[in-house]
Amino acid sequence: MSEQATIEAKFQAEQKQVDIDHHTPTAGAMTNHVLSNRMIMNMKLHQIEWFVKGPNAESYKAVIGQTIFENYDWYEKIAEQLLDEGEIPSSTTDEYKEYTMLEEHGENKYLDADEMLQTVVDDFVTDNMFVTRAIKLAEKEGRPAFNKLLIDLYGWNNHQIRIYQALLGKTATEGLEDDEDDDDED
């Protein structure tokens, strides 16, 4: 078998396993959604950092810049953990776009500052749906290191929600309680 045929065979086997994992969710597959969310979230945060306007724009940019820095660190940690657990982290733009549940829009650069900040809160809430599902799957699969990382990420996500909610003049969970109740019913 030629080297090219071996590479193609490995990739086809990987894609077959990915398809199986996404139809019968595993902690690894769910965490790849979380990894993809991290990548798309960073692009969205950059969009806000570059286009936010208004009297508080410079202070918002400082907060967003810190979130980008920390989010990128989480991206690295999650990818390393996936590799440590024998999983294959998503590594292409096409995979990130396929597995993320966060939505990008070019027109978002024209939103007012509060609307932009609300998209950040919404993205962290959406990400937490995947993080909590990955935590449950990691528990079920007996993967404690995976589980610990995901629990720490859940705490960081909640901290980010509180920060951005405060910038919007809200408490940590104000306006989010209904969403949490909906998740509990699942």
Side-chain angles (χ1 to χ4, degrees):
M1 184 177 274
S2 72
E3 184 176 336
Q4 183 61 34
T6 302
I7 290 170
E8 289 173 7
K10 286 180 179 178
F11 187 67
Q12 286 176 355
E14 172 194 324
Q15 293 305 301
K16 182 178 179 184
Q17 187 61 49
V18 166
D19 189 54
I20 291 168
D21 289 348
H22 284 278
H23 287 93
T24 307
T26 64
M30 197 59 66
T31 303
N32 253 320
H33 286 290
V34 174
L35 181 71
S36 298
N37 287 345
R38 301 262 80 72
M39 178 57 77
I40 300 302
M41 189 179 292
N42 260 353
M43 287 192 289
K44 292 182 72 176
L45 288 166
H46 275 100
Q47 183 185 47
I48 295 170
E49 184 181 42
W50 295 335
F51 295 104
V52 69
K53 295 184 176 33
N56 298 319
E58 290 307 311
S59 60
Y60 293 158
K61 288 178 184 179
V63 172
I64 293 165
Q66 183 64 34
T67 302
I68 291 169
F69 176 78
E70 293 176 14
N71 191 49
Y72 186 75
D73 189 46
W74 276 108
Y75 171 82
E76 290 290 336
K77 288 180 189 174
I78 294 165
E80 288 292 328
Q81 188 66 50
L82 283 163
L83 290 166
D84 290 348
E85 296 281 337
E87 302 284 345
I88 298 175
S90 298
S91 59
T92 67
T93 304
D94 285 344
E95 289 172 324
Y96 297 137
K97 288 180 353 187
E98 182 176 348
Y99 300 132
T100 189
M101 290 301 291
L102 306 183
E103 295 181 11
E104 297 178 280
H105 298 287
E107 61 266 22
N108 282 0
K109 69 174 79 64
Y110 304 109
L111 296 173
D112 68 35
D114 282 359
E115 290 171 322
M116 287 181 169
L117 296 176
Q118 186 61 52
T119 66
V120 177
V121 172
D122 295 343
D123 286 346
F124 278 109
V125 169
T126 298
D127 190 54
N128 267 348
M129 287 187 332
F130 290 92
V131 173
T132 55
R133 289 176 185 158
I135 290 169
K136 289 176 185 172
L137 289 166
E139 287 173 358
K140 183 178 169 185
E141 296 170 13
R143 300 168 96 170
F146 224 160
N147 197 35
K148 181 184 181 319
L149 179 80
L150 293 163
I151 289 171
D152 290 347
L153 175 62
Y154 182 76
W156 183 77
N157 277 358
N158 284 342
H159 182 67
Q160 296 306 306
I161 290 169
R162 181 173 65 85
I163 288 170
Y164 286 92
Q165 285 276 89
L167 293 176
L168 291 167
K170 299 177 183 177
T171 63
T173 60
E174 187 176 340
L176 306 177
E177 291 86 3
D178 291 342
D179 293 336
E180 291 176 2
D181 290 344
D182 290 346
D183 289 345
D184 292 342
E185 293 172 9
D186 291 341

